[in-house]
Amino acid sequence: MALLSKDQIDAADDRQWEDVPVPEWGGDVRVLGMSGTDRNAYQSSLIVIGANGKPQRVNLNDQLAKILARCLVGEDFQRLYTDKEVAALGRKNGAVLDRLADVAKRLSGLNDKATEDAAGNSEAAQSGASTTD
């Protein structure tokens, strides 16, 4: 196999997506796997940095809504929810969010260990509410 050029890599359409039935909402939604940049931003949103500049803990508040806000897209592949609308999405049925987040994680090559590794501390304890989002 020949080595790819930068132009070939840039032109490759490599993001996967799936239309997923959500009977609780009365239709289907489109879940698009995150880009590397989106995935890093999502993982960073879960980490609380201390005054010393080091990761202190993992913030799991609205974690399902945070990933879905980045992955739920319309027919035009544009995000349905902005980062500022995460809380509204988070108020939806938790079982539905969990089911859709599993699809988003799979399409994005993301698993729980990857989030822990991003925190730099797989022993980080879950904590309560945070003002950092």
Side-chain angles (χ1 to χ4, degrees):
M1 214 185 315
L3 292 177
L4 295 171
S5 70
K6 176 184 176 290
D7 290 338
Q8 289 171 309
I9 294 169
D10 290 346
D13 184 8
D14 61 352
R15 290 178 67 189
Q16 298 178 343
W17 56 272
E18 281 182 30
D19 290 344
V20 180
V22 185
E24 299 90 339
W25 295 349
D28 295 351
V29 296
R30 180 161 292 168
V31 180
L32 175 67
M34 289 183 280
S35 69
T37 300
D38 283 340
R39 188 172 118 163
N40 290 343
Y42 163 71
Q43 289 176 312
S44 293
S45 76
L46 301 178
I47 308 306
V48 176
I49 304 296
N52 62 359
K54 295 184 179 182
Q56 297 299 306
R57 60 185 170 86
V58 177
N59 174 10
L60 299 179
N61 293 337
D62 279 330
Q63 69 167 331
L64 300 176
K66 285 178 182 179
I67 192 170
L68 290 173
R70 294 182 180 278
C71 293
L72 291 178
V73 298
E75 289 183 13
D76 59 358
F77 291 92
Q78 297 301 307
R79 285 176 59 172
L80 297 178
Y81 289 88
T82 66
D83 292 342
K84 293 182 181 192
E85 297 169 317
V86 165
L89 184 57
R91 289 190 289 272
K92 301 306 292 177
N93 181 310
V96 173
L97 297 179
D98 194 46
R99 192 169 69 237
L100 293 173
D102 285 345
V103 174
K105 288 175 186 177
R106 178 174 44 79
L107 293 174
S108 301
L110 188 64
N111 59 38
D112 293 334
K113 182 171 181 343
T115 301
E116 291 172 355
D117 289 347
N121 180 2
S122 60
E123 300 298 319
Q126 181 177 348
S127 61
S130 168
T131 57
T132 305
D133 275 302

